[in-house]
Amino acid sequence: MRQHMFGDVAAAEMHALDMPNAWNAEALFPANIHRAATQALESWITAQDAFSRKHILNNFASSDGNGDARAGAICASPSRKHPDYYYAWTRDSALVVLEVIAWLDDNKLDYMLKDELKQRLDDYVEFTRHLQGLKNLKYGLGEAKFHMDGTAFRAPWCNAQTDGPALRARAILAYAQHVIKQANGDTTRAHELFALVCTDLDYVTKVWMHPGNCDIWEESRGMHFYTLLAQKTALEEGARMAHTLDVDNGVAHVYERAAQEISHKLPEFWDVDHGYIVATLNKTGGIQTKNSNLDAQALLAALHHGTPKLLTSRAVAATVNRLVHVFDRLYVVNHVQRTKIDGQWVDVAAAVG
């Protein structure tokens, strides 16, 4: 049944999962409550969007020379104790950059802010160039995180995390796509960016099959669904860019072949017996108590790297359904939390994961 992972899971398997039917909000709540809740949510989203964008940019180290961070470094959090997250994780930084690049297509942004965003992205590119040039790194490009001043983190950590270089390649590829659209046919800058991408993707082609790498939670060693899907997507996007730029050195073929090999591995993550996508295969270490191998990182993989076909597949739906079922039983807050809308009490489900 493994071949069904990216298409239809057998009907008998899906029925055993008790998949819920789509619910109709208007049927559950009176129209006035539904309308008030919708308006309140939309208002909150608008305010939260502005708040989040501001604080995302605050986590970029600027090029003004102030502070102890190198321009282009992006901290996971400004918190330096309890917990200390003031580091530049390769994965986290790339995900932030992918989000920021999407803002450049927002026609409502003024030109001054767009110029600021482009400066932040150029700083990130140069920070990447610096990190790729660091010597004597035990795990090479697979090092999970760095100090904000661009020096290596030498203390013990769960390494290597090989989704990081793949995500960073995707981030710079996305920036290269934007540059191409703005350059009126001049691909000089895009070629410069692609050289950095190739450094990361060449590494990915060499390490994707290695067992014992760390997962995104830094808890388990093995081969991970999230990591492999990130690598496959990055390699495919890199191959397309090689064709776009007419790079004639064989890299497109190398990346396409590696992506195809990963594609053949991914169906193994579908657990026929349990009916969901497992997070890790061939565990070689880490936390031993997560025996179910059911993890939200499967959903994150689909959201961050998946095609619409994967994101809407029955395999992902089955996995999410099982996650909801497990978390619903674990946390009482899912059953008792209520809020008042338009003068009436309404049950609100807490987030799972």
Side-chain angles (χ1 to χ4, degrees), residues 78-310:
S79 174
R80 303 194 188 204
K81 58 181 179 180
H82 309 308
D84 180 9
Y85 281 169
Y86 190 66
Y87 298 97
W89 264 268
T90 303
R91 173 194 313 106
D92 299 43
S93 300
L95 288 171
V96 168
V97 168
L98 282 166
E99 171 64 20
V100 170
I101 291 169
W103 301 352
L104 293 174
D105 294 326
D106 186 348
N107 294 327
K108 296 179 182 178
L109 287 183
D110 62 48
Y111 288 105
M112 289 185 64
L113 180 54
K114 286 192 175 183
D115 287 342
E116 178 188 351
L117 295 181
K118 291 176 184 176
Q119 182 61 58
R120 300 292 179 94
L121 294 171
D122 286 335
D123 288 344
Y124 172 76
V125 167
E126 292 310 308
F127 187 70
T128 296
R129 193 188 310 277
H130 166 75
L131 294 183
Q132 289 181 344
L134 290 178
K135 305 298 182 183
N136 302 317
L137 296 177
K138 184 176 180 180
Y139 297 96
L141 297 176
E143 293 280 349
K145 67 178 184 178
F146 299 85
H147 291 288
M148 287 292 288
D149 62 2
T151 58
F153 179 82
R154 302 290 186 184
W157 203 255
C158 194
N159 276 306
Q161 297 183 29
T162 57
D163 64 303
L167 273 160
R168 184 166 60 194
R170 290 194 62 209
I172 297 178
L173 282 166
Y175 190 36
Q177 288 281 15
H178 173 79
V179 167
I180 290 171
K181 286 192 296 184
Q182 302 297 315
N184 296 319
D186 185 354
T187 60
T188 303
R189 177 60 170 159
H191 276 278
E192 294 173 357
L193 295 172
F194 190 62
L196 298 179
V197 168
C198 288
T199 298
D200 280 336
L201 292 186
D202 290 350
Y203 169 82
V204 168
T205 63
K206 295 179 176 68
V207 303
W208 74 263
M209 73 295 292
H210 291 179
N213 292 324
C214 288
D215 73 334
I216 63 174
W217 306 140
E218 303 175 331
E219 295 176 342
S220 298
R221 291 188 177 277
M223 296 194 75
H224 314 291
F225 182 74
Y226 183 99
T227 298
L228 286 181
L229 193 58
Q231 293 167 338
K232 171 182 175 291
T233 304
L235 290 164
E236 290 171 341
E237 292 177 356
R240 286 196 291 271
M241 180 60 74
H243 290 303
T244 297
L245 297 176
D246 292 323
V247 176
D248 188 23
N249 60 0
V251 295
H253 174 68
V254 171
Y255 298 163
E256 287 165 347
R257 183 177 61 193
Q260 188 62 39
E261 290 172 352
I262 294 174
S263 295
H264 294 154
K265 184 70 177 177
L266 286 172
E268 296 181 22
F269 287 84
W270 174 250
D271 188 319
V272 175
D273 295 331
H274 292 93
Y276 54 74
I277 300 169
V278 296
T280 302
L281 295 178
N282 306 321
K283 280 191 177 182
T284 59
I287 294 176
Q288 299 300 316
T289 56
K290 300 175 72 172
N291 297 323
S292 71
N293 217 0
L294 175 67
D295 196 295
Q297 62 181 286
L299 173 59
L300 291 176
L303 289 169
H304 293 168
H305 320 299
T307 62
K309 181 179 179 181
L310 173 60

